[in-house]
Amino acid sequence: MFSKSNLLATLVGAIVMFFLGYLIWGIATVDFFAEHTIVNTMKEVPNLGLIALGNLVGAFVLSTLYSKWARGHHSVSEGFQFGAWIGVFVGVGMGLIWYATAEWMDLTGHVVEAIIDIIFYGIIGAIIAVIYQKTAAKKD
């Protein structure tokens, strides 16, 4: 669980999650989601330290789960597929539950969020896979 591959994939994954997440949700889609938000519950100034910690924990969980998913077969496509399934869980599964239980966004917002989640986590999964591929013990 605390292998060199896992820890390095966690670190790189967390950094990419932090900055890619900021680019996606903090810059690129701000106006779109503002138009599809029903009740704005966002803080005026987010706690970047907690966001970084959340990304670190999330990347560690993704990296640990990926190591069990891949079973030693590491590739960008396997990593993207793994991450995309996580995105389906978060974006579609949890998104439907949030839409059914809260007045946060309209349906269009949730659908777009699901698509973004699938792509976002797919990219994170691919990056984790590349780190594992480059750092995995070589078999003779």
Side-chain angles (χ1 to χ4, degrees):
M1 183 157 75
F2 294 106
S3 68
K4 178 177 85 170
S5 295
N6 191 5
L7 294 177
L8 189 57
T10 295
L11 180 61
V12 173
I15 291 168
V16 173
M17 285 175 77
F18 185 87
F19 288 107
L20 182 60
Y22 176 70
L23 289 173
I24 293 170
W25 290 284
I27 296 174
T29 63
V30 170
D31 293 337
F32 172 82
F33 284 115
E35 293 174 16
H36 295 279
T37 297
I38 297 169
V39 176
N40 185 1
T41 60
M42 301 302 288
K43 292 182 177 182
E44 188 65 33
V45 179
N47 185 325
L48 296 180
L50 287 177
I51 292 171
L53 180 60
N55 285 321
L56 187 64
V57 170
F60 178 72
V61 169
L62 289 172
S63 179
T64 302
L65 291 173
Y66 170 78
S67 71
K68 303 203 181 310
W69 161 286
R71 296 183 180 174
H73 302 286
H74 308 295
S75 70
V76 172
S77 63
E78 285 289 319
F80 188 89
Q81 180 184 17
F82 166 77
W85 279 114
I86 298 298
V88 169
F89 170 75
V90 172
V92 179
M94 296 306 300
L96 286 171
I97 292 169
W98 290 326
Y99 182 67
T101 61
E103 293 287 337
W104 180 41
M105 283 192 296
D106 62 19
L107 183 58
T108 302
H110 281 288
V111 169
V112 170
E113 178 66 25
I115 293 166
I116 292 171
D117 286 341
I118 292 166
I119 295 166
F120 175 79
Y121 286 106
I123 291 168
I124 301 305
I127 289 168
I128 288 170
V130 167
I131 300 298
Y132 269 88
Q133 187 178 47
K134 300 293 183 195
T135 61
K138 305 293 184 224
K139 295 180 183 176
D140 294 328

